[in-house]
Amino acid sequence: MPLKDYLAKALDPLLQRFEDRLEQGGHLRQAQQLRRKQQNWRSYESQTWEHFRSYVKDQWKLRFLIQREAHLQLKHDTLFQQLDKSASASATLVTETESLQNTLQDLNRRIWTVERDMHTVWSNFPDGPLKRAMSANCRNSDWYLSEWLQADCAGVGGCCARGCGCCMRARSSKRSDHRGHCTSECTCCEEARGFKLKFLGSAGNPMAIDFGVKKEDINRPGNSYTKCLINAYVWGL
Ligand SMILES: [Zn+2]
Ligand SMILES: [Zn+2]
Ligand SMILES: [Zn+2]
């Protein structure tokens, strides 16, 4: 183990106490700066960064599925109202409503699975300044509304480009604690765009998050996409 890494790991408990003291004194920014410094002392560890990548990708997947669920729930509720009003509802309408109910059940299962996956990734996330910083950053429920993440959402055609405020409120009445930026499944974006984006996930999806966490992506000088994304998700500086 290089000396720098050995020292960073040996001093970790002491520095962690110092970070806690800074945070307790209301100096979150300084605590995050200290965590970032410690991370920079350490050599590149692919395992840590792969965990980070999985976590961010799962978080995107969760947003995608919840927005798809909200979209289909709306469609289902509209059809259900039509069924309710007309006694002689067409067989097509009944079949379509039943099919949507099955899809919604399947989505509920998939959302549950992704939430469990995220928990597993987080539980196995290597301890250290990166994990502590991510944890501290997320304690602010508005962390995702950073200027960079809002600009990124607007850049892919998301609601942050408009004044609708969809990213600031709950996406679904069924999941009142879930807020986040747009994916290709956002109903409001689809209306603004005027056409549907037919993607089943992130593959080839222009509204998905795509970034690398190789040594050259992390250590590259200047503000690369990966570095800005890490700042938004981890340091919040
Ligand atoms: Zn949107
Ligand atoms: Zn919107
Ligand atoms: Zn947004």
Side-chain angles (χ1 to χ4, degrees):
M1 186 191 283
L3 182 65
K4 229 165 59 157
D5 288 78
Y6 174 78
L7 283 173
K9 280 180 187 162
L11 290 172
D12 196 63
L14 181 77
L15 290 167
Q16 208 175 318
R17 281 204 292 276
F18 195 47
E19 291 165 17
D20 291 344
R21 222 173 296 160
L22 280 170
E23 264 197 70
Q24 281 154 13
H27 307 291
L28 175 65
R29 197 174 167 81
Q30 282 95 324
Q32 290 294 77
Q33 281 167 340
L34 178 59
R35 289 173 183 129
R36 185 166 67 178
K37 269 203 181 79
Q38 292 172 69
Q39 186 61 37
N40 291 342
W41 292 338
R42 296 172 181 225
S43 300
Y44 171 80
E45 285 171 325
S46 60
Q47 199 206 359
T48 304
W49 289 108
E50 274 308 326
H51 265 83
F52 171 72
R53 191 166 183 267
S54 298
Y55 195 79
V56 174
K57 290 246 167 195
D58 276 348
Q59 211 174 63
W60 183 87
K61 209 187 282 178
L62 186 65
R63 279 193 277 135
F64 175 88
L65 292 173
I66 289 178
Q67 287 170 28
R68 182 163 181 71
E69 182 188 54
H71 188 90
L72 294 182
Q73 187 68 54
L74 198 71
K75 207 168 154 184
H76 170 271
D77 294 350
T78 313
L79 284 182
F80 200 75
Q81 271 175 11
Q82 285 177 28
L83 271 180
D84 217 25
K85 275 184 203 149
S86 105
S88 58
S90 74
T92 325
L93 203 62
V94 174
T95 314
E96 210 180 326
T97 312
E98 280 172 357
S99 158
L100 275 172
Q101 278 167 354
N102 290 337
T103 311
L104 283 165
Q105 271 175 16
D106 178 53
L107 277 168
N108 189 36
R109 267 192 292 273
R110 286 172 68 194
I111 290 166
W112 186 89
T113 308
V114 175
E115 282 174 342
R116 301 292 79 74
D117 288 348
M118 284 179 76
H119 175 72
T120 306
V121 172
W122 186 251
S123 307
N124 295 318
F125 207 109
D127 282 329
L130 192 82
K131 188 177 186 178
R132 294 200 293 275
M134 270 178 93
S135 186
N137 195 33
C138 292
R139 278 199 285 273
N140 170 10
S141 59
D142 284 342
W143 71 271
Y144 74 98
L145 292 172
S146 74
E147 207 178 308
W148 188 83
L149 281 173
Q150 288 198 55
D152 194 49
C153 174
V156 294
C159 288
C160 283
R162 297 175 289 275
C164 50
C166 294
C167 302
M168 311 206 178
R169 52 179 181 260
R171 290 280 176 172
S172 146
S173 54
K174 275 165 85 177
R175 304 180 194 276
S176 57
D177 58 343
H178 178 88
R179 295 187 297 150
H181 292 292
C182 304
T183 70
S184 48
E185 290 299 319
C186 170
T187 309
C188 182
C189 282
E190 191 178 306
E191 279 165 12
R193 211 171 37 237
F195 59 92
K196 186 164 180 58
L197 286 172
K198 289 178 185 159
F199 292 96
L200 297 173
S202 60
N205 190 331
M207 288 186 84
I209 293 181
D210 190 18
F211 67 105
V213 286
K214 292 201 177 79
K215 196 174 178 178
E216 57 272 26
D217 299 311
I218 307 294
N219 297 337
R220 186 176 295 157
N223 282 333
S224 63
Y225 183 84
T226 295
K227 283 171 117 177
C228 291
L229 187 128
I230 292 169
N231 186 42
Y233 278 80
V234 182
W235 316 118
L237 294 169

